[in-house]
Amino acid sequence: MSLISTGSYAPKFSLGNDHLTTLVDTSSEWIEKRTGIKKRNISAGENTSDLAYEAGKQAIENSNVNLEDIDLVLVATITPDHFTPSTASMVQGKLGIKNAVAFDISAGCTGFVYALGIASSMIKNGIAKNALVIGSEVLSKVLDYTDRNTCVIFGDGAGALVLTKDLNDKIKDIYLQGEYDTAHNIQIQSVNVNNAMHTSQDASTLPKLSMNGGEVYKFALGALSELIEVILERNNLTNDDIKYIVPHQANFRIIETVAKKLGIDINKFYMNIENYGNTSSASIPIALAEMNNLGLLKKGDKIIIAGFGAGLTWGSILIEW
Ligand code: UT7
């Protein structure tokens, strides 16, 4: 399988750290020093399928694949427009793609890695030939802008890849993991059961993202190390064989700590968190699109993408570009 092209999109409005100090008790210095974030894009009404559509359209335009030949559309998201239809079905409709399998993947910030693993497996098994795989989030719609633990961290955006069947398979290894987080350290609570037979005791109505940052931080350090170490070991590779590691952009301190622990040059880790914040499922494909546009990805380069987040979920993929 080949990875043919990339695309990305972020809403126009950029919310800087200074602006956040007018909303919650925080400072630009704290946010930048503790997370690496300077600004993030925030939707002015566009929903997740709108962002996904823009990123997907760009990826298709950058490819040599015709719309009618796309037979799989996957959207990784934790902020879908609706329970149903899926965001992927909506994107399929907006793009005018006929006769494609379309569904969403919800796997926290690991969503895009899971989605790429699924698309790759479906292509290898002959179920699909050309896939559009998107990570898209409008996290601002589930953020509480009075909660400084979360509202300073997350942003909105989308990234996309087009993949096609190729005998020379570029997806070299897929490592996916998950373990139920009984403490719900990251969650977006949604609708409670209120029906003719039952009245919920919990009055909360609107979905809101909550995070126990400290606990997730500890998990993230272990997960990211494991994701890199397992891929290297299973493929008899060393750090030197890898051109770039593209981690989920959660916090630059997580990446810096793991780089030090594993003895990997920090410059091998692609980071753009300062401009986007944490965009969950979208962070890795946005980074890949940016790297591609900058000409950083050369044919034959080995890269590792590594995601970790709610679920808990974590996963990494070894790609030869
Ligand atoms: O995307 C899915 C995966 N997500 C992650 O991997 C996120 C992992 N977690 C993190 O990145 C970090 O835990 C955070 C960025 C969320 C928080 O950073 P931290 O260094 O763990 O901060 P903390 O929660 O331990 O808080 C340290 C101090 C506290 O004050 P005291 O008790 O030391 O006086 C907090 O009250 O910083 C305070 N604080 C803030 N101060 C200013 C917490 N949030 C803020 C804030 N502005 N926004």
Side-chain angles (χ1 to χ4, degrees):
M1 191 181 53
S2 287
L3 288 81
I4 302 188
S5 61
T6 52
S8 71
Y9 179 78
K12 299 265 165 312
F13 182 69
S14 176
L15 178 66
N17 289 351
D18 278 347
H19 192 147
L20 280 164
T21 63
T22 65
L23 304 176
V24 283
D25 179 16
T26 190
S27 67
S28 293
E29 297 71 36
W30 189 95
I31 302 171
E32 200 177 330
K33 198 161 157 241
R34 307 297 290 178
T35 68
I37 302 166
K38 290 184 181 162
K39 56 187 182 180
R40 71 289 289 138
N41 298 89
I42 298 293
S43 167
E46 293 163 293
N47 215 328
T48 303
S49 66
D50 301 313
L51 272 55
Y53 160 77
E54 295 291 347
K57 187 166 102 143
Q58 204 184 89
I60 292 170
E61 279 167 7
N62 290 340
S63 77
N64 50 4
V65 177
N66 295 323
L67 265 189
E68 55 270 25
D69 295 327
I70 303 257
D71 51 6
L72 176 63
V73 181
L74 296 182
V75 175
T77 186
I78 54 170
T79 51
D81 293 30
H82 307 304
F83 284 151
T84 200
S86 71
T87 313
S89 290
M90 294 178 77
V91 171
Q92 173 180 21
K94 285 176 199 226
L95 286 168
I97 297 173
K98 313 263 185 232
N99 302 321
V101 172
F103 61 100
D104 288 357
I105 285 126
S106 171
C109 302
T110 318
F112 183 79
V113 180
Y114 272 35
L116 192 57
I118 292 166
S120 158
S121 308
M122 287 178 72
I123 289 176
K124 268 182 214 165
N125 284 318
I127 300 168
K129 283 200 180 73
N130 299 296
L132 174 63
V133 184
I134 303 172
S136 183
E137 304 288 5
V138 177
L139 287 152
S140 60
K141 70 185 175 184
V142 294
L143 287 179
D144 174 356
Y145 282 93
T146 64
D147 176 11
R148 70 176 185 176
N149 292 310
T150 51
C151 75
V152 305
I153 292 164
F154 295 95
D156 302 336
L161 281 187
V162 172
L163 322 173
T164 194
K165 196 173 177 64
D166 187 336
L167 288 177
N168 181 10
D169 191 2
K170 307 288 189 191
I171 301 281
K172 298 296 180 191
D173 194 14
I174 302 171
Y175 174 66
L176 304 179
Q177 281 296 335
E179 186 183 329
Y180 181 53
D181 171 19
T182 50
H184 292 194
N185 283 315
I186 324 176
Q187 72 168 356
I188 304 173
Q189 200 178 352
S190 193
V191 180
N192 295 309
V193 178
N194 269 307
N195 58 27
M197 310 305 294
H198 175 82
T199 303
S200 169
Q201 300 300 310
D202 189 340
S204 66
T205 47
L206 292 174
K208 281 281 168 271
L209 189 153
S210 60
M211 181 167 77
N212 180 348
E215 285 305 310
V216 180
Y217 192 93
K218 281 185 250 164
F219 152 71
L221 289 181
L224 183 55
S225 305
E226 176 187 322
L227 292 171
I228 298 166
E229 282 179 314
V230 168
I231 286 280
L232 291 177
E233 206 175 295
R234 290 203 317 199
N235 294 279
N236 295 318
L237 299 171
T238 70
N239 306 336
D240 296 337
D241 299 311
I242 304 296
K243 185 74 186 287
Y244 287 107
I245 296 166
V246 187
H248 166 48
Q249 310 284 310
N251 186 330
F252 91 97
R253 287 192 293 134
I254 294 171
I255 298 166
E256 201 177 56
T257 307
V258 168
K260 255 190 213 139
K261 184 183 151 202
L262 300 185
I264 303 176
D265 180 358
I266 187 74
N267 295 315
K268 273 203 178 172
F269 289 81
Y270 189 77
M271 280 191 266
N272 61 6
I273 190 170
E274 63 176 273
N275 297 324
Y276 294 93
N278 178 340
T279 57
S280 190
S281 300
S283 85
I284 291 174
I286 289 174
L288 289 174
E290 205 170 84
M291 294 168 80
N292 205 13
N293 290 343
L294 291 168
L296 298 178
L297 299 169
K298 304 265 185 316
K299 202 172 168 344
D301 283 349
K302 286 190 179 58
I303 65 169
I304 296 172
I305 63 169
F308 47 87
L312 299 164
T313 56
W314 61 109
S316 48
I317 296 184
L318 175 66
I319 299 170
E320 191 180 288
W321 202 257

